[in-house]
Amino acid sequence: LPELPEVETLRRDLAERCLGWTLERLALSGRRTVRRHPVEALAGVEGQELVGVDRHGKFLLLHWGQGDTLVVHLRMSGQLLIRPPAAPQAPHTHAVFAFATPGGGQEWHFVDPRTFGELFLLGAPGPGGERAADGGELGHLGPDGLAVTAQQMTRALAGRRAPLKSLLVDQRVVAGIGNIYADEICFEAKLRPDRPAGRLRPAQVARLTDAIHAILRAAVLARGSSLADEQYRDVDGRVGRYQLAHRVYARAGMPCPDCGRPIDRVPFGARSAFLCRRCQR
DNA sequence: ACAAATACCTGTAAGC
DNA sequence: TGCTTACAGGTATTTG
């Protein structure tokens, strides 16, 4: 599912191929796709040129020529596909961006079976006319996972009794990590995901921060993870390959790559955590 | 202030 | 075979 590496792969592909394209029409058919503000607020983006593609955590930011920023979040099952003009739409296509391009025309199809994903215009007035407070709709996000420092992690973890994994997936602490990469990061750092977050020694916080950077960077290089359902696809519909490098996630019973002991699956909230009891303390 | 639980969804797989 | 149930999980919201 789309976490930081998958959204960063999307960002890079769009920035490489789509800058300078002019949005001629944005057709929104999904009833839940725009829900933070009236859908009409997006009409103003039509006619503008795509001038920048940014990312904070799992949020994709599309910057347009007249200063608007359209935010895309794929949540669980969202995909953004580059398709030729008037290409057939896959089931659950909720938005179609039609562009004028140097080559003639292209489309983006926003596909999202589970409808958790969303689009919104940064700073647009909400249903009651109110605007988001300081920092906008993204103001709650912590530092991006690729840039977070050990000092920032130390501050965020201090005094917290919650399990380490809970804080790794808390977007206010560090933005971009989800269930898959939290387990992989804990393994890389040799720390149990269920240990209290506030009791890490400075050397362990440093190891954790290094692990965050190393795992996320490696996953970006591999163009993200596609799980068994192959739900995650890039703009061309291709799967990632970092799932081949997973060492603990969804690998219960398989040998730990470092010590050979079978990987454990332990209940974690309403879900699970995967870890090696011998290598992770 | 913090922590834990729940709602939101649908496709897939497992179980009977 | 066909049905029911459990599970996958990011974020906002609610509850404790």
Side-chain angles (χ1 to χ4, degrees):
Chain A
L1 304 108
E3 303 181 28
L4 184 152
E6 292 75 27
V7 182
E8 175 63 12
T9 301
L10 172 61
R11 187 197 70 76
R12 291 182 180 189
D13 286 348
L14 296 180
E16 186 175 313
R17 290 161 58 175
C18 306
L19 289 182
W21 291 10
T22 297
L23 182 64
E24 290 196 315
R25 169 127 178 82
L26 173 54
L28 290 154
S29 48
R31 279 213 288 269
R32 276 173 45 83
T33 308
V34 178
R35 47 185 185 266
R36 298 199 192 210
H37 54 65
V39 65
E40 294 77 29
L42 289 182
V45 180
E46 289 179 338
Q48 297 190 48
E49 175 189 339
L50 184 67
V51 296
V53 187
D54 211 341
R55 180 192 58 75
H56 192 149
K58 306 169 196 174
F59 291 82
L60 182 76
L61 288 76
L62 304 168
H63 300 296
W64 303 91
Q66 290 167 36
D68 286 324
T69 298
L70 177 58
V71 182
V72 180
H73 199 305
L74 303 175
R75 285 296 215 286
M76 311 295 304
S77 59
Q79 302 173 347
L80 198 59
L81 304 168
I82 299 177
R83 306 280 283 137
Q89 294 179 16
H92 308 293
T93 299
H94 303 308
V96 175
F97 298 68
F99 289 95
T101 75
Q106 290 289 316
E107 292 180 356
W108 293 352
H109 289 195
F110 177 70
V111 181
D112 184 19
R114 292 165 71 178
T115 74
F116 281 24
E118 63 170 329
L119 311 182
F120 62 91
L121 194 64
L122 202 63
E130 79 285 359
R131 287 181 181 275
D134 55 317
E137 294 84 349
L138 308 181
H140 66 289
L141 293 176
D144 189 75
L146 287 174
V148 69
T149 66
Q151 188 183 25
Q152 289 169 323
M153 291 303 294
T154 300
R155 267 203 299 270
L157 269 49
R160 301 291 298 268
R161 292 195 317 259
L164 175 58
K165 178 172 173 177
S166 296
L167 295 202
L168 284 176
V169 301
D170 184 338
Q171 304 302 296
R172 297 166 298 184
V173 171
V174 52
I177 301 169
N179 196 46
I180 297 170
Y181 295 107
D183 281 358
E184 295 297 321
I185 287 165
C186 286
F187 179 83
E188 172 75 14
K190 301 195 181 300
L191 296 168
R192 286 185 59 114
D194 51 356
R195 69 165 23 237
R199 300 222 182 279
L200 266 60
R201 299 193 312 270
Q204 293 173 318
V205 177
R207 218 163 67 206
L208 178 67
T209 309
D210 288 345
I212 291 171
H213 298 156
I215 294 293
L216 294 178
R217 274 203 297 260
V220 169
L221 279 176
R223 299 182 61 81
S225 302
S226 297
L227 305 184
D229 61 6
E230 301 198 337
Q231 190 70 249
Y232 167 68
R233 304 285 183 137
D234 68 11
V235 294
D236 296 312
R238 297 174 306 200
V239 298
R241 42 190 165 73
Y242 192 69
Q243 67 279 5
L244 304 174
H246 290 177
R247 292 182 287 179
V248 287
Y249 176 78
R251 296 179 62 82
M254 303 169 80
C256 168
D258 284 0
C259 78
R261 188 188 199 283
I263 297 297
D264 291 290
R265 175 185 192 146
V266 302
F268 194 87
R271 303 187 172 117
S272 302
F274 297 92
L275 68 142
C276 173
R277 282 186 203 281
R278 184 176 296 154
C279 295
Q280 294 172 255
R281 307 286 178 171

